[in-house]
Amino acid sequence: MEKILLKVNFQKFLEDLKANFKVIGPTRKGGGTATYSYACFDEIEDLDDLEMDYKFSMLSPKMVFFPDNQELYGYEKVGADIKLVDLRDKWGKDIAIVGLHPCDIAALLCLDRVFREEPFEEEYYNSKRQRTAIIGMTCTEPKGSCFCNLVGSGPDIEEGYDLLLTDIGDRFYFRSGTELGDRLISANYFMEPTEGDRDRRSEEVKRVAKELGPGLHVDTAQRVMEEKYDDSLWDEFSSKCVTCGSCNMVCPTCHCFSIVDKTNFDQTRGKRILVWDSCHFERFALMAGNINVRGEKESRFKHRLYDKYYYDPMRYGRIFCVGCGRCLEFCPSHIDIRDALNKLGGVK
Ligand code: SF4
Ligand code: SF4
């Protein structure tokens, strides 16, 4: 189903949404008086704080479903017994995430392959996904670091959302992808789109695609990855890497984690916590017997690229990079994943 909403009625739509869902969206407003430099996905208490025209967010909505520092359960020694308490966040209300860009919608589809499929279905992640409405929005101004078009995750997207909005001037073009989406745009302030509205949407998506432009030769790079596993290029690529792990922390598809226990001094009480991990960290591949299968930073750098572009496509049937550009933006050594892939393919 497709509908049109005049921008003057957008506030009304958000108010109706807020009556039924906890709304999470891009905002620069933190707790207290904090104002972030980058938009963050956070609960929208006051609709004026919602920044629908944001260009870029540091973290993706992955943190809604797979948060860092996730308290799993608490434990306490009571006499000879151990008492366990489930500490996982219980959502009171269903959630609507608004304003996700197509790359972040595609990233959720990647995470779904990991956490929602047999034999490793994660019940908690799955129930949160089922209770969330995804209301995405196509981009209007891509950054130089964006390359969604080259990995097939933008600037338009056909799946993974309940609603997808496109800004076409004084109105939004709403495209529904599910029955829930159909219901959300059934109010009488929505209108049927005209041929002119459809043309404007398609022109808008084409304009953004043109701005993104070429720059990465994914197919070529993937083809040669097998034969270039031991290539000396890997030393060159990784020479500037300081193994900080920022690229993993901001990536919307990275999903490795560690489990840590925090206990009190006499070890009678504590919490078990899930924390995000990074394949760039030296201890990431450390195993029993003090054997580290990726002790060299070059092998860890290489592993991250192979995982996203080679192993995951074999394992899950899709590239686990959605071209969001966050790892380029937040790498302190300014390493650009596109340079590595292009040189690997011998096209630069
Ligand atoms: S590898 Fe980089 S560009 Fe690709 S999804 Fe992760 S953060 Fe985004
Ligand atoms: S952000 Fe840059 S320097 Fe840090 S681990 Fe990733 S590639 Fe290396």
Side-chain angles (χ1 to χ4, degrees):
M1 185 188 284
E2 297 182 338
K3 286 281 173 79
I4 291 294
L5 181 68
L6 294 175
K7 281 185 180 168
V8 290
N9 288 328
F10 191 58
Q11 183 81 2
K12 176 83 186 123
F13 167 70
L14 291 174
E15 281 164 9
D16 286 353
L17 201 62
K18 221 164 172 299
N20 296 299
F21 296 88
K22 171 174 157 181
V23 174
I24 290 179
T27 179
R28 282 175 205 254
K29 198 91 178 90
T33 55
T35 303
Y36 303 129
S37 318
Y38 293 94
C40 293
F41 280 83
D42 210 340
E43 181 171 3
I44 304 295
E45 305 267 11
D46 181 343
L47 289 174
D48 289 342
D49 295 335
L50 182 65
E51 201 177 315
M52 284 301 278
D53 59 352
Y54 79 109
K55 307 290 177 282
F56 190 72
S57 69
M58 181 187 259
L59 293 176
S60 77
K62 171 178 90 171
M63 50 197 269
V64 174
F65 306 103
F66 178 63
D68 188 22
N69 274 312
Q70 195 182 141
E71 293 188 345
L72 302 176
Y73 59 85
Y75 47 89
E76 188 175 2
K77 197 160 181 270
V78 185
D81 295 328
I82 304 284
K83 196 174 130 198
L84 293 180
V85 188
D86 190 345
L87 293 179
R88 289 176 302 181
D89 183 22
K90 308 284 178 307
W91 292 3
K93 229 175 175 183
D94 288 355
I95 283 185
I97 308 182
V98 298
L100 307 84
H101 289 160
C103 59
D104 283 342
I105 296 176
L108 289 179
L109 295 176
C110 289
L111 294 180
D112 287 354
R113 302 301 305 268
V114 179
F115 293 126
R116 293 186 88 176
E117 288 189 4
E118 296 285 351
F120 301 115
E121 184 185 334
E122 213 280 296
E123 191 188 323
Y124 191 57
Y125 173 95
N126 202 6
S127 79
K128 289 201 270 189
R129 287 286 277 134
Q130 283 166 354
R131 293 186 57 195
T132 306
I134 300 292
I135 304 179
M137 178 152 174
T138 57
C139 296
T140 51
E141 267 182 66
K143 282 172 78 80
S145 52
C146 297
F147 56 98
C148 57
N149 56 328
L150 303 168
V151 286
S153 63
D156 207 357
I157 188 162
E158 299 298 329
E159 56 172 343
Y161 55 83
D162 295 290
L163 290 173
L164 184 68
L165 284 67
T166 301
D167 184 337
I168 55 167
D170 66 343
R171 58 197 62 198
F172 288 115
Y173 196 104
F174 275 66
R175 181 174 276 176
S176 165
T178 60
E179 278 179 26
L180 173 62
D182 292 351
R183 282 203 301 278
L184 292 174
I185 53 174
S186 60
N188 59 9
Y189 44 80
F190 282 93
M191 307 183 306
E192 292 301 322
T194 63
E195 271 315 303
D197 292 326
R198 284 195 186 92
D199 290 347
R200 279 168 76 185
R201 184 190 190 278
S202 140
E203 280 159 20
E204 181 58 19
V205 171
K206 278 190 200 143
R207 179 188 67 74
V208 174
K210 206 167 159 194
E211 276 183 38
L212 284 159
L216 172 66
H217 300 262
V218 175
D219 295 344
T220 321
Q222 276 186 312
R223 270 203 307 279
V224 295
M225 278 183 123
E226 201 164 327
E227 61 208 59
K228 296 221 173 166
Y229 191 79
D230 293 318
D231 202 290
S232 58
L233 272 171
W234 291 110
D235 293 330
E236 182 194 326
F237 298 154
S238 58
S239 62
K240 288 195 295 172
C241 175
V242 295
T243 70
C244 65
S246 290
C247 48
N248 297 109
M249 298 302 143
V250 295
C251 179
T253 68
C254 278
H255 50 272
C256 290
F257 60 89
S258 281
I259 300 291
V260 294
D261 283 347
K262 282 192 180 170
T263 55
N264 66 345
F265 280 124
D266 60 6
Q267 300 194 339
T268 53
R269 253 181 303 120
K271 285 177 183 171
R272 181 153 285 191
I273 299 167
L274 180 155
V275 293
W276 291 350
D277 204 349
S278 161
C279 54
H280 277 288
F281 293 164
E282 190 177 356
R283 294 169 65 87
F284 183 82
L286 187 66
M287 299 186 292
N290 208 27
I291 296 163
N292 196 335
V293 290
R294 286 194 290 276
E296 303 299 319
K297 102 175 159 177
E298 165 244 303
S299 66
R300 298 196 295 277
F301 186 95
K302 177 164 70 176
H303 174 76
R304 178 164 176 267
L305 261 68
Y306 269 78
D307 201 35
K308 295 203 171 296
Y309 282 88
Y310 191 77
Y311 303 140
D312 282 339
M314 279 201 287
R315 206 181 292 146
Y316 299 116
R318 61 187 301 151
I319 296 175
F320 262 48
C321 170
V322 295
C324 70
R326 289 184 177 95
C327 58
L328 289 56
E329 293 281 342
F330 296 106
C331 173
S333 302
H334 308 293
I335 294 172
D336 187 332
I337 194 172
R338 296 172 297 188
D339 287 344
L341 287 161
N342 278 338
K343 280 191 191 162
L344 195 67
V347 292
K348 251 190 182 177

